[in-house]
C-alpha cells in the first residue's frame, strides 16, 4: 500500500512542475494580428512586442507564487484571446486583488 502511495506522489510531481512553468504564447503571431487590425503598422507591431515582453518579464519571476487556481483560470483567459502576456498579467493582477478583497452580499 505504501509503495502505491509513493508511486502516485512521484507520478504527480512532473504535473506540478509543468503547471508552474510560464505558458508559451506565439507573441509574434499575436502582434502580427494586432498590427494587421491597425492597418499593418510596424509601429503597432513593435509596441505590441515591447508590451508583451514587459508583461512576460514581470510575470516570469513571480509565476510560481501565483495560486494554481488563478494561474489556470488566467491562462485560459489569455489563450482565448489569442495568447497574450498582457492579458495574462492583467488577469492575474485583477484576480489577486479580488481574492484579497472578497465581497459579501447583504439583504439590509
Amino acid at each position: 500500500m505504501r509503495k502505491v502511495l509513493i508511486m502516485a506522489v512521484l507520478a504527480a510531481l512532473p504535473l506540478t512542475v509543468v503547471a508552474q512553468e510560464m505558458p508559451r504564447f506565439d507573441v509574434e503571431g499575436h502582434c502580427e494580428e494586432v498590427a494587421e487590425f491597425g492597418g499593418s503598422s510596424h509601429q503597432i507591431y513593435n509596441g505590441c512586442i515591447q508590451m508583451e515582453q514587459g508583461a512576460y518579464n514581470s510575470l516570469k519571476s513571480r509565476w510560481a507564487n501565483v495560486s494554481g487556481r488563478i494561474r489556470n483560470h488566467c491562462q485560459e483567459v489569455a489563450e482565448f484571446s489569442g495568447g497574450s502576456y498582457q492579458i495574462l498579467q492583467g488577469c492575474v493582477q485583477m484576480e489577486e486583488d479580488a481574492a484579497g478583497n472578497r465581497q459579501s452580499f447583504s439583504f439590509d
Side-chain angles (χ1 to χ4, degrees):
M1 176 73 169
R2 186 173 180 190
K3 285 184 181 182
V4 172
L5 180 61
I6 292 171
M7 294 297 283
V9 170
L10 290 175
L13 284 177
L15 296 176
T16 303
V17 172
V18 170
Q20 290 185 358
E21 290 180 10
M22 283 283 292
R24 296 224 175 230
F25 298 142
D26 177 11
V27 174
E28 287 86 1
H30 169 73
C31 289
E32 283 289 345
E33 289 181 18
V34 170
E36 286 294 320
F37 187 75
S40 298
S41 169
H42 298 293
Q43 182 178 359
I44 290 174
Y45 176 84
N46 289 341
C48 177
I49 292 290
Q50 290 172 355
M51 291 189 302
E52 289 292 324
Q53 188 69 62
Y56 174 83
N57 291 346
S58 175
L59 277 173
K60 190 169 96 171
S61 62
R62 63 187 209 93
W63 185 249
N65 296 325
V66 175
S67 80
R69 184 192 147 285
I70 292 174
R71 278 196 314 261
N72 293 336
H73 168 72
C74 290
Q75 185 170 342
E76 286 181 20
V77 169
E79 287 172 350
F80 182 78
S81 69
S84 169
Y85 292 109
Q86 293 177 78
I87 291 174
L88 182 64
Q89 180 183 36
C91 179
V92 167
Q93 287 173 341
M94 288 187 289
E95 285 293 323
E96 288 179 335
D97 290 348
N101 185 26
R102 206 145 158 133
Q103 301 292 309
S104 61
F105 182 81
S106 173
F107 286 103
D108 293 333

